């Protein structure tokens, strides 16, 4: 067991962490909004944790709080991300479809360039030697695991309730939802803020986990990776992000013997899945099950 | 800012802006026909630069599968450039056949076209890395023949330096823009292309093979992407397989600024972004990249249809 964790502990924690980031993109998507902003908030959260963990200025905090400084970092990162997503979200969410996606890509790029140039974020080198919460990488499962469980439970409850129904209504037809008395701006902003906050908290937890934090954490590539988790897993189920992350985050490991060419295969998977599994894995499984029960059911709406 | 500095920035901006314009046109052509942004365009830009390099210089470095290889036959640069662009166009056609058409045939969502084109970009960029590694490739300075490297003239005390490469780039881009404008506005081919962009169903009723014109569009788009990549490569070097990613995103800022789907808009947007970048003060040059994204964000907030785009009637 110890050997297993030694070999695969990091990978398992990474899958959970990536699944959480996929979830952060799932909320806006479940309200019909394609936002790629998550890496921006993830980077912000990570920088907050890294700065509180290393800067001279915060040394008294660290001495005073000991390990309790970590939860404080998560809270600060969460609050900061929530505020920033409110500021970004309110104007941006007037945009639809590809326009919103482009605006959020711009946001991620702006955060990246700024963090590359400020001295507090360590410029191009970034911040390293971030204090650890656990002795081994595997230990981090004790924060990411409960966070994932809580997120899944929260999402499940959310989807059962009024807010989740409003999200779905907006996704299906925003005008109709508005005519039914749902305020689209409010719910879209909620979905965006929940996603942004989650990404920020995950960032704050990831900075110690990864030990270093730099501008490479919040890039366009990351946006695409998170989007791919959700799309490949399935956009219509909260399990989609988890499944997609499990598949795509482990794929490079499984393909490690192929070394340089493994990203080529990753890219091919993206193409093939978008064409042949447009509803994602969850959608395909549901359809298989549906086909077993009754035949001739039209294959769902659009993704 | 002195007059000389102003002039210098102006010339730099127009030169790089004209490359942005032809690069962005590649996005615009595809967008105007399919209503999607082809995220693989940045990868075609990169590929074009490498293809032109391979044919014109043919010396490979120490990494990747082709390490140490030198191709015995070197083509004259204009021929290599033309071939590089044609090959990029063909690759773009291949991308349409493999990643976009199957999706269209299955009635896939536009969102999936985004992912699928990103998948292609990932494959292309990493395939390049697999073959030639991630080192920087520079075109030798004499690639354009035996010419002076720069033209200098002075205004009062200060000197304005125009690199010859910049002039050539500007000239090539203008020639391409004019020919493309003629092709689209004045020829039968262009008329058919516009008909497909306007309404594919009607165009097909009128006897235009829609799928064939989509292929032509991708060819043109890839040609422009490869050309832009090669020209930037000769000016600044080919900075590794990922060098198209930034330009790819920059190009998206250009098309949004000009107005998605608008051809004059892309040209105007390209020149504007080129100029704005050139006028970023040297002290803040590290923020250069952020400027176009800030502009992209801003324009989406105030005028999502862009400078020359048509506002769409919004139906969810």
């Amino acid at each position: 067991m110890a050997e297993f964790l030694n070999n695969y502990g990091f990978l398992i924690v990474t899958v959970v962490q990536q699944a959480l980031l996929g979830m952060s993109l799932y909320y806006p998507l479940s309200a019909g909004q394609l936002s790629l902003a998550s890496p921006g908030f993830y980077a912000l959260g990570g920088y907050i944790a890294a700065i509180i963990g290393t800067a001279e200025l915060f040394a008294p905090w660290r001495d005073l709080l000991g390990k309790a400084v970590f939860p404080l970092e998560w809270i600060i990162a969460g609050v900061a991300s929530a505020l920033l997503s409110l500021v970004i979200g309110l104007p941006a969410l007037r945009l639809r479809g590809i326009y919103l996606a482009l605006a959020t890509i711009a946001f991620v790029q702006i955060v990246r360039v700024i963090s590359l140039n400020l001295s507090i974020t360590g410029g191009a080198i970034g911040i390293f030697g971030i204090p650890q919460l656990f002795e081994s990488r595997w230990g981090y499962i004790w924060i990411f695991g409960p966070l994932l469980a809580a997120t899944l439970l929260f999402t499940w409850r959310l989807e059962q309730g009024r807010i989740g129904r409003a999200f779905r209504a907006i996704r299906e037809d925003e005008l109709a939802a508005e005519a039914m008395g749902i305020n689209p701006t409010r719910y879209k902003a909620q979905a965006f803020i929940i996603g942004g906050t989650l990404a920020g908290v995950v960032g704050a937890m990831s900075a110690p986990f990864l030990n270093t934090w730099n501008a490479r954490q919040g890039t366009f590539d990351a946006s695409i990776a998170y989007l791919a988790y959700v799309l490949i897993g399935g956009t219509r189920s909260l399990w989609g992000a988890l499944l997609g992350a499990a598949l795509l985050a482990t794929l490079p490991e499984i393909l490690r013997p192929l070394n340089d060419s493994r990203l080529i295969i990753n890219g091919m998977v993206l193409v093939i899945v978008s064409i042949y599994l447009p509803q994602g894995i969850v959608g395909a499984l549901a359809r298989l099950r549906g086909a077993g029960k009754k035949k001739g059911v039209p294959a769902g709406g659009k993704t | 800012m002195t007059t000389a500095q102003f002039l210098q920035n102006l010339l730099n901006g127009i030169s790089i802006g004209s490359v942005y314009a032809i690069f962005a046109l590649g996005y615009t052509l595809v967008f105007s026909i399919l209503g999607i942004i082809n995220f693989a365009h940045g990868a075609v830009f990169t590929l074009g630069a490498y293809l032109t390099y391979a044919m014109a210089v043919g010396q490979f470095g120490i990494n990747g599968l082709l390490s140490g290889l030198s191709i015995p036959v070197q083509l004259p640069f204009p021929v290599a450039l033309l071939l590089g662009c044609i090959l990029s166009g063909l690759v773009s056609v291949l991308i349409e056949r493999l990643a976009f058409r199957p999706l269209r045939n299955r009635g896939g969502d536009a969102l999936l076209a985004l992912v699928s084109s990103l998948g292609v970009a990932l494959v292309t960029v990493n395939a390049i890395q697999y073959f030639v590694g991630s080192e920087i490739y520079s075109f030798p300075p004499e690639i354009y023949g035996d010419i002076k490297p720069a033209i200098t003239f002075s205004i009062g005390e200060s000197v304005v330096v125009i690199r010859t490469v910049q002039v050539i780039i500007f000239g090539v881009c203008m020639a391409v823009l004019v020919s493309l404008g003629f092709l689209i506005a004045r020829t039968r081919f262009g008329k058919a292309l516009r008909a497909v962009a306007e309404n594919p169903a009607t165009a097909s009723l009128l006897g235009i093979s829609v799928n064939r014109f989509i292929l032509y569009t991708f060819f043109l788009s890839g040609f422009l992407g490869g050309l832009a990549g090669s020209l930037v490569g000769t000016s600044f070097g080919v900075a590794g397989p990922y060098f198209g990613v930034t330009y790819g995103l920059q190009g998206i800022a250009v098309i949004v600024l000009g107005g998605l789907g608008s051809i004059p808009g892309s040209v105007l947007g390209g020149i504007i972004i080129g100029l704005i970048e050139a006028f970023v003060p040297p002290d803040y040059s590290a923020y250069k990249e952020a400027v176009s994204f800030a502009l992209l964000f801003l324009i989406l907030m105030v005028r999502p249809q862009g400078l020359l785009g048509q506002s769409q009637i919004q139906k969810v």
Side-chain angles (χ1 to χ4, degrees):
Chain A
M1 188 66 189
E3 196 189 346
F4 175 82
L5 287 184
N6 236 354
N7 291 336
Y8 298 103
F10 183 78
L11 179 63
I12 294 168
V13 181
T14 303
V15 166
V16 174
Q17 183 230 21
Q18 296 293 305
L20 281 161
L21 290 166
M23 291 297 292
S24 75
L25 208 127
Y26 169 76
Y27 297 106
L29 213 54
S30 71
Q33 311 303 308
L34 174 57
S35 154
L36 298 173
S38 291
F41 298 113
Y42 174 68
L44 175 76
Y47 276 118
I48 288 175
I51 291 166
I52 295 179
T54 57
E56 199 56 44
L57 180 68
F58 294 102
W61 289 28
R62 292 195 294 270
D63 294 341
L64 184 71
L65 292 169
K67 291 265 183 206
V69 80
F70 289 99
L72 185 72
E73 290 171 0
W74 309 335
I75 293 167
I76 295 176
V79 171
S81 303
L83 288 176
L84 186 63
S85 41
L86 184 71
V87 174
I88 300 289
L90 281 183
L93 289 168
R94 291 183 302 138
L95 302 166
R96 295 199 176 118
I98 191 74
Y99 289 94
L100 177 64
L102 296 178
T104 51
I105 290 174
F107 162 69
V108 173
Q109 289 297 318
I110 293 169
V111 171
R112 187 178 69 85
V113 177
I114 291 175
S115 57
L116 266 176
N117 288 292
L118 289 183
S119 58
I120 190 170
T121 53
I125 304 161
I127 298 170
F128 43 90
I130 300 165
Q132 298 294 303
L133 177 56
F134 299 102
E135 274 172 18
S136 72
R137 305 272 113 163
W138 167 248
Y140 284 85
I141 197 70
W142 300 112
I143 53 174
F144 286 119
L147 184 65
L148 181 64
T151 305
L152 288 170
L153 186 67
F154 168 79
T155 315
W156 183 68
R157 292 287 301 148
L158 189 85
E159 294 194 332
Q160 306 288 313
R162 188 187 167 82
I163 299 178
R165 283 201 303 276
F167 285 0
R168 281 198 295 280
I170 294 169
R171 178 179 65 191
E172 297 306 331
D173 190 334
E174 192 171 327
L175 282 181
E178 197 165 3
M180 300 299 288
I182 294 169
N183 178 352
T185 314
R186 197 183 119 195
Y187 286 104
K188 285 195 296 192
Q190 272 179 7
F192 188 74
I193 293 168
I194 296 172
T197 311
L198 179 63
V201 174
V202 175
M205 290 181 172
S206 302
F209 172 59
L210 296 175
N211 200 19
T212 63
W213 203 257
N214 52 42
R216 275 196 298 277
Q217 303 303 331
T219 59
F220 177 61
D221 291 355
S223 295
I224 300 322
Y226 309 159
L227 177 64
Y229 300 154
V230 184
L231 286 177
I232 284 173
T235 52
R236 302 224 154 195
S237 158
L238 69 153
W239 301 105
L242 182 58
L243 262 174
L247 179 71
L248 283 187
T250 46
L251 197 59
E253 294 301 317
I254 297 168
L255 300 176
R256 194 165 282 282
L258 291 174
N259 225 342
D260 285 345
S261 50
R262 67 182 197 271
L263 281 170
I264 302 181
I265 297 188
N266 225 348
M268 286 177 184
V269 170
L270 284 186
V271 178
I272 292 167
V273 169
S274 351
I275 295 172
Y276 296 105
L277 291 177
Q279 319 242 320
I281 298 169
V282 175
L285 288 177
R287 207 160 41 178
L288 273 181
R289 242 186 359 225
K293 281 180 200 153
K294 44 182 174 178
K295 281 186 178 157
V297 182
K302 52 181 184 169
T303 317
Chain B
M1 190 183 295
T2 64
T3 321
Q5 271 172 341
F6 178 82
L7 206 63
Q8 178 80 68
N9 290 342
L10 190 72
L11 293 169
N12 289 347
I14 289 178
S15 176
I16 189 72
S18 64
V19 182
Y20 285 162
I22 59 163
F23 177 54
L25 270 175
Y27 281 114
T28 299
L29 288 173
V30 170
F31 187 88
S32 63
I33 293 225
L34 293 181
I36 53 170
I37 293 179
N38 172 15
F39 275 90
H41 194 48
V44 173
F45 172 97
T46 314
L47 186 67
Y50 278 98
L51 288 172
T52 304
Y53 177 87
M55 285 180 289
V57 186
Q59 289 287 342
F60 292 97
I62 48 168
N63 289 309
L65 206 64
L66 301 181
S67 60
L69 182 78
S70 60
I71 296 174
V73 187
Q74 271 105 55
L75 298 173
F77 181 70
V79 182
L81 181 65
L82 186 67
L83 273 179
C85 297
I86 291 174
L87 286 176
S88 307
L90 292 176
V91 168
S92 205
V93 165
L94 195 69
I95 292 175
E96 141 69 6
R97 287 304 307 268
L98 294 178
F100 290 110
R101 191 186 287 183
L103 207 56
R104 268 201 317 283
N105 290 343
R106 298 174 73 96
D109 193 67
L111 203 76
L112 289 168
L114 188 146
V115 182
S116 156
S117 63
L118 284 163
V120 173
L122 200 62
V123 172
T124 314
V125 166
N126 286 288
I128 295 174
Q129 177 148 358
Y130 184 68
F131 282 108
V132 298
S134 52
E135 58 205 279
I136 297 173
Y137 285 92
S138 307
F139 284 89
E142 66 274 10
I143 198 88
Y144 286 112
D146 190 17
I147 44 170
K148 274 170 61 181
I151 307 160
T152 50
F153 57 93
S154 47
I155 299 173
E157 299 277 288
S158 25
V159 183
V160 178
V161 182
I162 308 169
R163 292 164 62 214
T164 320
V165 179
Q166 289 180 302
V167 180
I168 294 173
I169 285 179
F170 180 73
V172 172
C173 291
M174 284 303 126
V176 167
L177 282 179
V178 170
S179 345
L180 196 69
F182 179 79
L183 182 73
I184 289 171
R186 291 291 150 92
T187 60
R188 233 179 116 77
F189 173 84
K191 215 176 203 174
L193 205 62
R194 279 181 287 142
V196 176
E198 187 70 34
N199 189 329
T202 314
S204 105
L205 284 178
L206 293 172
I208 301 168
S209 164
V210 172
N211 268 335
R212 191 179 321 151
F213 273 86
I214 293 176
L215 285 183
Y216 293 153
T217 308
F218 270 90
F219 178 78
L220 281 176
S221 162
F223 187 96
L224 293 170
L227 179 62
S230 305
L231 291 177
V232 171
T234 57
S235 181
F236 305 113
V238 185
Y242 285 89
F243 111 115
V245 175
T246 319
Y247 284 96
L249 292 173
Q250 213 77 318
I252 288 171
V254 169
I255 54 171
V256 173
L257 177 65
L260 283 183
S262 158
I263 290 176
S266 303
V267 178
L268 183 68
I271 302 285
I272 291 178
I273 293 216
L275 283 173
I276 290 178
E277 282 190 3
F279 277 95
V280 171
D283 289 352
Y284 296 95
S285 64
Y287 285 97
K288 213 186 231 178
E289 208 187 310
V291 173
S292 42
F293 293 114
L295 196 67
L296 167 60
F297 196 81
L298 201 71
I299 196 95
L300 282 170
M301 295 306 120
V302 263
R303 201 180 150 82
Q305 72 271 34
L307 294 175
L308 300 182
Q310 285 165 350
S311 135
Q312 288 166 356
I313 300 155
Q314 292 210 327
K315 164 76 184 87
V316 186

